[in-house]
Amino acid sequence: MGLTPRVGSTPTFGMISPVAKRIGILTGGGDCPGLNAVIRAAGRRSFQRGYEVVGVRDGWRGLVENELEPLGPREISGILPRGGTILGTTRTNPYKLEGGVERVRETFESAGLDALVAIGGEDTLGVATRLYEEHDFPVVGVPKTIDNDLNGTDYTFGFDTAVFIATEAIDRLHTTAESHNRVMVVEVMGRHTGWIAVMSGIAGGADVILIPEQPITVEQACREIQLRHERGKDFSIVVVSEGYELTYESGERRLVTQELATDEFGHVRFGGVGHALGADIEERTGYETRVTVLGHVQRGGSPTPRDRVLATRYGLKAADLVAEGRFGRMAALHGDTIVDVSLAEATAELKTVPEDWYAVAKAFFG
Ligand code: F6P
């Protein structure tokens, strides 16, 4: 669906315009709790300035295929606590489609848009970075992902909710593990980094945590569990990130994926390492082991209050960056302050779990 072009509208790339603006908003990549809170905040602040807001359907796909819809006060009313995204999302990468980037620019121009707020993670914002750098495209970013692996910001929104859900699951698994004297393996999300595993593992009192960026061996994990059992603890909780590569003392490494095919951003689909690890633990220790894969439960439902507040602050900041014409920037959290960083910095590398965070987790192993 196209939009009616604005009469006499001229896109004002890179400038503060005194005339009314038309602002597009898109949500791309995996959904996460808090997306609607950002849309609401960016929308509300833009309406206060007399700007028009347009929703882009399904991430970059909406700009490639000209699927836009008006987003007025009515559409964004009541969405603060709602999970998912009212705009829909996909992992469409215009750089992987024949003529994709040109179509993004055409849709943007023909709809009379002046600026775009892109809410996404490394992939969605990677596209935004390139569009800004290569075409002076007037875009600002908002850091979203349950994985918390975006550079340039202390926290992404969605992460707190995922950690909350994973922690609650660990708490529940604790009581059943204890009743049955079992090892419980919990597989959490985290494609490249172990932020969810480390934070929920610390919060839930995990006995071993395995993450992609600091892979302890399967043998080490088994030793920690055996040590616990020798000390009279007959049950253990093991948290593993989906992106952890099974690592053995022999030097062998094994990445477990659901399928080898990759998406448009080159990512394989994870899921299953928990079962492989559970089988290894049972075989090596002889302790009865069960496995829970949390999967998309971590991404669904209402955001926590902390995520609602963070998403709201990010949405306001994004709208302000647009009003100031400060494109190529991303809203970010430094300490307790909302700042902005360049999209280039945010997408240059992933923010991995540093050693000192993992050391906190390790203090409670075994
Ligand atoms: O990047 C966020 C994330 O939830 C990862 O933790 C996970 O690997 C991936 O998305 C799953 O994506 P999909 O929704 O395509 O299954």
Side-chain angles (χ1 to χ4, degrees):
M1 168 186 130
L3 268 195
T4 329
R6 196 176 61 198
V7 181
S9 74
T10 327
T12 51
F13 286 42
M15 295 167 47
I16 304 179
S17 165
V19 300
K21 286 181 190 248
R22 194 179 257 192
I23 296 154
I25 303 185
L26 67 77
T27 54
D31 72 339
C32 88
L35 285 164
N36 289 324
V38 179
I39 296 168
R40 169 181 174 267
R44 289 276 287 265
R45 183 147 279 183
S46 301
F47 298 149
Q48 285 155 9
R49 297 198 165 102
Y51 299 164
E52 260 182 85
V53 180
V54 170
V56 178
R57 293 296 317 170
D58 303 336
W60 293 111
R61 193 188 71 76
L63 283 176
V64 171
E65 295 179 15
N66 194 14
E67 280 202 32
L68 311 176
E69 63 192 24
L71 215 52
R74 205 188 170 88
E75 283 75 23
I76 63 165
S77 168
I79 63 172
L80 172 65
R82 230 202 283 170
T85 162
I86 59 165
L87 294 175
T89 184
T90 59
R91 295 191 186 279
T92 303
N93 180 355
Y95 280 94
K96 284 286 158 66
L97 303 172
E98 187 73 31
V101 172
E102 289 66 39
R103 282 190 281 163
V104 165
R105 297 176 68 205
E106 273 162 30
T107 303
F108 187 85
E109 299 252 347
S110 67
L113 291 170
D114 300 299
L116 180 72
V117 175
I119 311 169
E122 44 151 346
D123 299 331
T124 304
L125 297 185
V127 171
T129 307
R130 282 188 71 179
L131 285 171
Y132 173 72
E133 286 176 351
E134 295 168 12
H135 301 283
D136 202 18
F137 196 85
V139 59
V140 303
V142 176
K144 164 246 64 158
T145 167
I146 63 163
D147 290 358
N148 196 39
D149 57 1
L150 257 179
N151 201 34
T153 185
D154 291 352
Y155 291 99
T156 53
F157 74 87
F159 173 63
D160 186 63
T161 309
V163 170
F164 180 85
I165 294 165
T167 303
E168 202 203 355
I170 294 170
D171 287 348
R172 288 176 185 277
L173 290 168
H174 247 118
T175 61
T176 168
E178 196 166 2
S179 307
H180 286 270
N181 295 341
R182 283 173 174 158
V183 176
M184 288 288 184
V185 174
V186 193
E187 179 185 312
V188 297
M189 278 188 167
R191 187 158 45 201
H192 309 291
T193 63
W195 285 105
I196 298 175
V198 166
M199 292 298 183
S200 64
I202 293 171
D207 305 301
V208 185
I209 302 171
L210 300 105
I211 63 173
E213 57 270 63
Q214 304 195 34
I216 61 165
T217 62
V218 171
E219 288 89 344
Q220 263 174 286
C222 291
R223 272 198 298 274
E224 300 289 4
I225 296 166
Q226 272 158 335
L227 219 77
R228 255 178 82 72
H229 283 235
E230 279 159 23
R231 289 200 341 262
K233 293 276 191 184
D234 292 335
F235 69 95
S236 294
I237 301 287
V238 178
V239 180
V240 60
S241 295
E242 59 177 359
Y244 166 78
E245 215 173 336
L246 290 164
T247 305
Y248 300 92
E249 277 172 2
S250 63
E252 188 204 339
R253 298 187 76 163
R254 189 154 63 95
L255 191 66
V256 182
T257 60
Q258 281 190 49
E259 51 182 50
L260 284 173
T262 56
D263 66 17
E264 287 182 19
F265 288 93
H267 304 304
V268 292
R269 197 191 307 168
F270 284 118
V273 69
H275 286 287
L277 180 65
D280 266 350
I281 291 173
E282 192 165 81
E283 191 190 308
R284 285 160 198 262
T285 64
Y287 303 140
E288 194 180 11
T289 303
R290 293 287 189 272
V291 179
T292 302
V293 180
L294 288 185
H296 293 79
V297 166
Q298 295 158 98
R299 290 219 317 241
S302 276
T304 57
R306 181 180 283 269
D307 269 339
R308 293 181 202 190
V309 172
L310 183 60
T312 297
R313 294 174 82 197
Y314 280 156
L316 294 180
K317 180 69 178 180
D320 289 347
L321 289 171
V322 164
E324 292 158 12
R326 299 183 57 223
F327 300 118
R329 310 292 297 172
M330 180 187 84
L333 183 73
H334 286 177
D336 202 25
T337 309
I338 298 290
V339 297
D340 56 273
V341 297
S342 72
L343 277 170
E345 180 192 339
T347 55
E349 58 182 352
L350 286 171
K351 186 184 67 188
T352 51
V353 174
E355 253 176 57
D356 53 344
W357 263 119
Y358 195 51
V360 175
K362 274 164 94 175
F364 299 93
F365 282 12

